[in-house]
Amino acid sequence: MSKEESSLTRSNWIAKAQSALDRNRIVSLLRAIVDTPSPTGEEGELARNISRHLAEAGLNGQEQVIDEHQSNAVGMLTGSGDGQSLLLYSPIDTVTSNSAVEDVPWVGPELRADMGADSWGGGGHVYGLGAQSPKGHAACVFAAGEAIRAAGVPLKGNLYLGFGAGGMPSNARPGMRENSGHGAGCAHMIEQLPNIDSAVIAKSGWSVSWEEVGLAWITVRVNGTHSYVGSRHLLPFTNAINDAGRLIARLEVWFSEWAERHRTGLVAPQGVVSHIESGWERMPAFTPAECRFQIDLRVSPRTSREEVDEQFGAAFDEFCSELEIDATWERTVFISGTTTEPDSAIIKKCIQAWESIEKQPHQAVAGLSGATDANILRSAQIPTARIGLTKAAIPDIDFELGMNTANIDGLHRLTKLLVHVAVDYC
């Protein structure tokens, strides 16, 4: 067979598989996935449901049990054995938990309708907890595999469909296994799947990305004096909460400097103070001897763990000296940023698929600071592309509503791209 004939045959199979896509089916899949709660550490029920539906669709669905609460789901289309294998991957755990007890007041004064695992549709959108990310992406991965099977595409390499637990940057929730977040499910999955040659992770952003930031989590302890409001004018004391506030204000300025200093390639790694605790809630009259807060510092693929420690440590010492604050810091989590070579086959094929849909040259988006399981995949030496859904264009959208609203046109578009890439690659 000539190259021209082979290319034509491949194009025909891509078109046939894309024509097998059904918008209503994608929406049905998404709503079923949204309607099963899956907070980090408790993805087992959803993974079992997905596994069962994969099996019913002829996609060899299997549950990968991690512990009594947490599982992955994996599907597969077996190739003839003379081609390369591809993993289409999406995490399945949500940022928030579907519980007002756990999430309020941190998400707001109440649990809005879109923050619940009870989907509904309207105006060309699907709403519900995680409807855009991660569950919209999971529905697209499922639907892509289903369409390729329905079209009877003669794959040479194996096509894996992966639905991973523990994809959120999260420590353990109450009652869950300690290492249930930070890509735990993805790491477990690739240990079980043989010979994955490349991967595509479906995560937010309608452009092809080949690198992303890692993260360092840092706990800061500011020391003070345990004292009493009635004696603050009589005895020397240091208010750890006040000193923590002054230190945080200085760090917030430094985070912007960090981002600009490490802005390279596609990334502009950010930092934030997102959790603080101190004192007795029942006794506001007494100051605590310690105030703790946590930092998420994003890390460029070109910045090592040692460089993070050195640069943050130098800035921290400078600020404590300048502000006359007694404080210490400890790095508790580190995940490296990663890069796949932009001229690798999987990146090229994703870009070609994007351009075939958009009918214009692809432009990569720079200034990114989101971290995903792509770092787990790349750290296992699997070349990985990232592509996903855009945020819905609806009034008064905020971060949570953006995560919880999926545009149906966008779902169909992403699934078409995943079909194109999988057929082309496998």
Side-chain angles (χ1 to χ4, degrees):
M1 181 182 293
S2 69
K3 288 185 178 180
E4 291 77 11
E5 290 171 328
S6 176
S7 177
L8 178 61
T9 301
R10 185 175 305 194
S11 297
N12 288 343
W13 282 118
I14 290 170
K16 185 175 181 181
Q18 289 178 334
S19 69
L21 293 173
D22 183 330
R23 288 171 184 257
N24 291 333
R25 174 59 175 166
I26 300 172
V27 170
S28 176
L29 286 168
L30 173 56
R31 293 196 59 176
I33 293 171
V34 170
D35 290 346
T36 304
S38 56
T40 304
E42 293 183 277
E43 303 92 338
E45 181 183 359
L46 178 56
R48 285 186 287 276
N49 289 348
I50 292 174
S51 300
R52 184 176 67 254
H53 290 302
L54 286 167
E56 291 169 354
L59 294 168
N60 192 28
Q62 302 288 330
E63 179 189 4
Q64 290 183 340
V65 177
I66 303 172
D67 68 18
E68 61 180 315
H69 303 292
Q70 191 169 46
S71 296
N72 298 325
V74 176
M76 184 178 71
L77 283 172
T78 305
S80 61
D82 54 350
Q84 293 191 309
S85 64
L86 177 68
L87 170 66
L88 299 182
Y89 177 85
S90 172
I92 57 173
D93 56 320
T94 54
V95 174
T96 53
S97 73
N98 188 52
S99 165
V101 173
E102 188 168 337
D103 295 337
V104 174
W106 315 123
V107 296
E110 61 182 1
L111 208 63
R112 289 188 323 224
D114 65 282
M115 298 174 183
D118 186 10
S119 65
W120 77 96
H125 297 88
V126 175
Y127 300 89
L129 180 57
Q132 195 262 11
S133 185
K135 298 190 174 185
H137 298 97
C140 292
V141 168
F142 192 120
E146 202 171 48
I148 292 168
R149 184 186 185 281
V153 179
L155 302 179
K156 294 184 176 181
N158 293 340
L159 175 62
Y160 298 102
L161 311 174
F163 306 86
M168 290 298 163
S170 173
N171 289 332
R173 295 172 45 251
M176 298 299 106
R177 194 184 71 258
E178 183 175 351
N179 60 328
S180 53
H182 295 297
C186 184
H188 181 82
M189 184 179 297
I190 58 181
E191 287 178 357
Q192 309 301 313
L193 296 180
N195 305 320
I196 300 172
D197 293 301
S198 291
V200 177
I201 182 170
K203 282 289 286 184
S204 299
W206 180 242
S207 67
V208 181
S209 174
W210 48 86
E211 69 175 9
E212 58 191 73
V213 297
L215 59 85
W217 280 10
I218 297 168
T219 298
V220 173
R221 290 178 169 82
V222 179
N223 298 313
T225 308
H226 170 42
S227 190
Y228 170 57
V229 63
S231 62
R232 64 169 293 166
H233 60 304
L234 303 175
L235 298 171
F237 91 111
T238 300
N239 190 330
I241 296 173
N242 179 60
D243 283 355
R246 294 193 297 130
L247 182 55
I248 289 169
R250 185 64 187 87
L251 285 167
E252 283 290 335
V253 175
W254 183 79
F255 292 148
S256 297
E257 298 168 355
W258 169 270
E260 291 309 308
R261 189 161 62 250
H262 294 280
R263 179 188 291 269
T264 60
L266 301 184
V267 305
Q270 307 295 311
V272 70
V273 173
S274 53
H275 178 260
I276 187 167
E277 59 181 349
S278 187
W280 296 271
E281 186 176 1
R282 65 182 178 85
M283 292 194 301
F286 298 89
T287 59
E290 180 179 281
C291 180
R292 294 189 296 270
F293 61 86
Q294 292 191 59
I295 295 169
D296 182 319
L297 186 64
R298 297 298 161 107
V299 180
S300 164
R302 288 157 287 280
T303 305
S304 69
R305 183 195 314 250
E306 292 74 22
E307 289 170 325
V308 171
D309 289 351
E310 180 182 354
Q311 293 178 38
F312 179 82
F316 185 87
D317 290 346
E318 176 188 337
F319 303 153
C320 288
S321 176
E322 169 193 320
L323 299 171
E324 298 183 338
I325 290 173
D326 179 14
T328 59
W329 66 275
E330 176 189 12
R331 176 177 40 73
T332 57
V333 174
F334 187 88
I335 297 174
S336 297
T338 57
T339 300
T340 294
E341 291 299 323
D343 63 351
S344 69
I346 191 59
I347 302 299
K348 287 182 175 180
K349 290 184 183 298
C350 283
I351 290 175
Q352 290 165 3
W354 189 96
E355 292 179 343
S356 76
I357 292 171
E358 292 296 330
K359 311 300 183 188
Q360 61 179 312
H362 176 266
Q363 294 290 329
V365 174
L368 304 175
S369 191
T372 73
D373 285 346
N375 285 326
I376 308 300
L377 294 163
R378 294 193 190 106
S379 294
Q381 308 305 310
I382 300 171
T384 301
R386 172 181 171 176
I387 179 75
L389 300 165
T390 56
K391 297 293 184 184
I394 57 175
D396 302 321
I397 194 166
D398 57 20
F399 171 77
E400 274 289 339
L401 187 56
M403 297 280 281
N404 300 336
T405 307
N407 175 269
I408 295 172
D409 288 341
L411 292 166
H412 183 257
R413 180 178 63 176
L414 175 59
T415 310
K416 280 184 66 177
L417 181 141
L418 295 175
V419 165
H420 185 135
V421 172
V423 173
D424 192 14
Y425 189 89
C426 294

